[in-house]
Amino acid sequence: MKEKVLIIAEAGVNHNGSTEQAKKLIDAAADAGVDYVKFQTFKADNLVTKRAKRASYQDKNSGDKDSQYEMLKKLELSHEVHLELMEYCKCRSINFLSTGFDLGSLDFLNEIGINLFKIPSGEITNLPYLKKIASFRKRIVMSTGMATIEEIKSAFKVLNENGANRDQITILHCNTEYPTPMGDVNLKAMHHIRDEIKTEIGYSDHTLGIEVPIAAVALGAMVIEKHFTLDRNLPGPDHKASLEPNELKAMVQAIRNIEKAISGSGLKEPSVSETKNKVVARKSIVAAKNIMKGEVFSVDNITVKRPGNGLSPMLWDEILGKVAPTNFEEEDTIKL
C-alpha cells in the first residue's frame, strides 16, 4: 500500500439480495482491475431498531415505503453466500472484502480469514465495535464521514490502545451524503487528518463521476473506495450514487496513470523521454545574414533560431561585440 494506491470497489448492497447479481458485480470489479471488491455483512436484527427511519437519500432512491429495518433485512447475505462469493473472487483473481456492521459479523469475517477490516463512517463512535476490530490486529481502513477531527482522534486512540499499530491504519476522508455535492467534498481535509494524526490517508467517495477520487490520489490518497453498480437505474438505496462498470474501469485506469505521474523524484530535471527534444525545441545563435571574417557581431548580423545545436542564446550578451573568427553564411550557427 505504500507503493500502490489500493482501490476498493464498493459493491455494498447493490446486489439487491441476489447471489447471481453479486457475482456479476465481482465480474465487473475484476474486469475493471480494482484490488478489492467489497460487500456488507450484517444482521438487520443486530444493526437497527425496527422503528428506525431511513436516510432521506434512501427514501428517495429506494422507491418503496420500507423502514430501515425492512430494507436491510432484504439485503442481508447469509454466511453461506459469503463463502460462495469468496470462492468466486478467487476464480476471478480479485480480493474479497466485506464491511461488518455488528460484533457478530466482525467475528464471522475474522474467522473466514478477512485480512483487511473496513470501519464505516457510522461506526466511528462505536466503542465496542472499535475495540473488537483492533483486537484482530489486522490492517484497518477507517472512513470518517460526519466526523470531526476530535472524533477521529478518539477513534484512532481506541484502535491504538486495543491492538492496532499506527502503520496498520489508513484513515479515509469521506462525506456521508449520497451523492455528495461537489461543494461539500472538502478534499484538502485529507491533509488535515494526515497532519493531525500522522497516519496514511485515503478517500471514500460518494460524488457523482470519477474526477474527485482521481484528484484525491494526486493529493496523496493511498486508498480509494468507490461505490459501483451494474446499472444506476436498478431499485435500491445506493445505485444512484454509484459508478457503472465502464466508469469504474475508467477511474481505475486514470488512477494508475496518476500514480505514474506522481511517482518521480520530485526534483525538477529533464526526463529521459524529453532529452532528445532539446535540440529540436531550443534555439542557437545564428547568422542573420552573411558575415565576413573580422566583422563585429551585432544585433544587425546575428539572431536566434532553432535548432539548439549551437551556442545558447543565454550567451547573447557575451557574443555581441566579439569579432567573427571566420566567414559565416546566413543561418550558420555562430562559433567562436
Side-chain angles (χ1 to χ4, degrees):
M1 291 176 69
K2 298 294 183 184
E3 301 171 355
K4 176 185 174 185
V5 175
L6 189 75
I7 304 176
I8 301 171
E10 168 71 82
V13 294
N14 284 345
H15 49 74
N16 287 4
S18 164
T19 303
E20 289 310 306
Q21 191 159 308
K23 289 181 178 179
K24 290 179 180 178
L25 285 162
I26 292 171
D27 287 335
D31 291 343
V34 304
D35 299 294
Y36 283 87
V37 58
K38 186 169 79 66
F39 294 92
Q40 295 180 6
T41 305
F42 56 85
K43 295 293 182 184
D45 290 314
N46 299 330
L47 178 57
V48 64
T49 66
K50 292 182 175 62
R51 288 177 289 184
K53 294 181 179 180
R54 297 192 298 195
S56 58
Y57 79 86
Q58 293 174 330
D59 282 334
K60 180 180 178 181
N61 295 340
S62 293
D64 57 45
K65 299 297 183 182
D66 287 348
S67 67
Q68 187 177 168
Y69 172 83
E70 290 167 332
M71 176 189 74
L72 292 172
K73 194 68 178 172
K74 295 175 183 177
L75 297 171
E76 288 181 4
L77 294 176
S78 70
H79 287 183
E80 291 73 24
V81 168
H82 278 72
L83 296 174
E84 186 176 343
L85 295 181
M86 281 186 74
E87 193 60 34
Y88 192 71
C89 282
K90 289 180 183 177
C91 294
R92 289 307 318 268
S93 300
I94 186 172
N95 293 301
F96 174 87
L97 190 61
S98 189
T99 298
F101 282 83
D102 56 78
L103 299 184
S105 293
L106 292 180
D107 282 328
F108 168 70
L109 292 172
N110 189 48
E111 289 166 6
I112 63 175
I114 296 297
N115 61 3
L116 173 65
F117 278 82
K118 167 69 194 300
I119 299 173
S121 295
E123 307 302 329
I124 199 169
T125 57
N126 185 343
L127 182 62
Y129 180 99
L130 296 173
K131 285 184 174 181
K132 171 73 75 171
I133 280 188
S135 72
F136 298 147
R137 300 178 186 274
K138 294 181 178 178
R139 183 83 193 180
I140 295 171
V141 173
M142 181 169 70
S143 278
T144 57
M146 307 171 290
T148 66
I149 193 66
E150 294 306 320
E151 288 173 327
I152 299 170
K153 286 180 178 179
S154 294
F156 185 80
K157 182 179 179 183
V158 171
L159 295 174
N160 266 176
E161 292 176 347
N162 287 275
N165 296 326
R166 182 178 299 273
D167 61 2
Q168 291 179 296
I169 302 170
T170 302
I171 300 179
L172 309 186
H173 173 48
C174 178
N175 180 294
T176 308
E177 174 64 355
Y178 300 77
T180 300
M182 287 295 179
D184 286 349
V185 171
N186 191 21
L187 200 53
K188 289 188 286 188
M190 285 195 310
H191 294 169
H192 186 202
I193 294 169
R194 179 196 63 198
D195 295 343
E196 288 288 324
I197 305 184
K198 314 296 183 193
T199 191
E200 188 172 82
I201 54 171
Y203 176 62
S204 178
D205 186 50
H206 299 132
T207 64
L208 298 176
I210 67 173
E211 60 266 45
V212 179
I214 296 167
V217 172
L219 288 175
M222 290 305 298
V223 176
I224 291 293
E225 180 183 65
K226 182 74 172 178
H227 282 262
F228 79 107
T229 179
L230 298 175
D231 184 344
R232 268 194 293 274
N233 294 315
L234 287 169
D238 294 341
H239 295 284
K240 291 289 189 295
S242 300
L243 297 180
E244 291 185 342
N246 61 325
E247 296 169 313
L248 180 65
K249 191 170 187 177
M251 184 193 78
V252 172
Q253 184 58 59
I255 286 174
R256 296 306 178 214
N257 286 340
I258 293 299
E259 276 182 317
K260 294 175 184 176
I262 63 176
S263 65
S265 67
L267 302 175
K268 179 52 189 166
E269 54 189 2
S271 71
V272 173
S273 65
E274 69 179 338
T275 301
K276 64 182 181 298
N277 297 322
K278 251 187 197 182
V279 170
V280 175
R282 290 189 174 181
K283 295 177 177 177
S284 303
I285 300 174
V286 302
K289 56 187 178 180
N290 292 340
I291 301 172
M292 301 301 293
K293 179 179 178 180
E295 278 190 59
V296 175
F297 293 126
S298 69
V299 294
D300 296 321
N301 61 16
I302 62 173
T303 188
V304 172
K305 290 185 179 182
R306 291 176 177 175
N309 59 351
L311 291 175
S312 168
M314 292 299 286
L315 299 173
W316 179 264
D317 288 343
E318 296 179 34
I319 298 301
L320 290 177
K322 292 195 181 302
V323 175
T326 186
N327 295 337
F328 294 96
E329 293 185 4
E330 184 178 349
E331 295 194 338
D332 279 353
T333 56
I334 298 300
K335 298 176 183 176
L336 295 181

